[in-house]
Amino acid sequence: MSGLAPFCIELQPAARADELLNDPQVFAMLRFTQKSRVDAANPGHIDIAMPPAGGQEYIEVWRSPHTLQPGQHGPVHYLYCDDFLFGSLYIGDQDFDDVADATAHAYQEIHDTLEQAGFPALLRMWNYFPRINEESHGLERYRSFCLGRHTALDAWHFPEEQLPAASAIGTLSEGMVIYFVAGKAPGIQIENPRQVSAFHYPPQYGPRSPSFSRATLMNEWGQLYISGTASIVGHETLHIDDVTGQFHEIMANIETVIDQANYASPINCKSLSDCQLIRIYLRNPTNRDLVAQLIKERFGPDLKYQLVQGDICRTDLLLEIEGMYAHCQ
Ligand code: 3EB
């Protein structure tokens, strides 16, 4: 495990799941399945309804050398040690009529949890819920999510320059799952000079801008958390209907984000291929072979990555890619 990093991440073949459940260092395991689920008794055991879209199937394993303590506040269940808190929550579709309300409630509960537990800094957020591109109450559900998140973070007085890296993706079954990493102090927010900061997107993309940064650099832990990254330059989608074009634009965006992180404070992550977690969200699984080929052309045949089926938050985006540099040895 790197320097003083309090946790690390690795991808393991799905067949090893049962054996890894007995490993005392393993505190979280992310699986891609048909149904979203969070185990309240084991807040790191999370299933996301984004079925594997092809290739080798991996589960994502999080380890810590520390003994983590459990805690709970409202719907938020968590594990923590001196350095970090890992939390998750599930909200059923029937519990809220409106995505904005569900999201505002979730983030309010996360706020209360973190305040009580003494980890005020959000470092990385994952947000998953169904029918992300459908309209409801006159607003696309992703935009409604952004509105609810913005409202809660406003009430929280959350500083814009500390907004964490995030992903927000549409799942294929019911229920909102949010999981996150928080710390005692913020990381370094990394933005991308090729892109308008998402929190400054103009209102054409929704009544409230998306509250996230392009990456969080945890330089004292030697870690970098890269947000879901799409084929957006400035604030516009490029390469409509062109998977290959979107892929190359995403690569340019991710390489720029990694360069920016290294300017801020050098880190051993110099390319997406250095990341231990690479997750590719694919809107249309029929593009799986093309994406696998593009990855192979760029990184060779040995790169480990998760390829899952999920809906990206703009209907014209065909894929999105995120990375975590948080190595175990
Ligand atoms: C984008 O750059 C693409 O709303 O939390 C990527 C990562 C995207 C996170 C979020 C949205 C979010 O705007 C979409």
Side-chain angles (χ1 to χ4, degrees), residues 127 142 145-146 149 166-168 195 198 201 210 212 214 227-228 230 232 313-314 317 320:
N127 308 277
Y142 171 66
F145 162 82
C146 286
R149 176 172 57 181
S167 304
Q195 299 184 299
Y201 281 170
F212 72 99
R214 301 301 177 185
S227 287
I232 294 173
C313 61
R314 291 186 190 178
L317 293 171
E320 186 170 301

Side-chain angles (χ1 to χ4, degrees), residues 36 38 89-93 99 102-103 106 127-130 145 174-178:
S36 293
V38 173
L89 74 158
Y90 178 93
I91 293 180
D93 290 354
V99 179
T103 309
N127 308 277
Y128 296 119
F129 57 97
F145 162 82
E174 64 168 316
M176 175 183 272
V177 172
I178 299 179

Side-chain angles (χ1 to χ4, degrees), residues 21 40 47 70 82 95 97 104 179 193 261 293 308 315:
L21 283 172
D47 294 349
D82 281 349
D95 295 340
D97 187 35
Y179 69 96
Q293 184 59 31
V308 297
T315 50

Side-chain angles (χ1 to χ4, degrees), residues 112-128:
D112 294 350
T113 301
L114 296 183
E115 183 142 281
Q116 200 174 68
F119 291 84
L122 282 181
L123 303 178
R124 182 51 166 112
M125 307 293 303
W126 285 267
N127 308 277
Y128 296 119

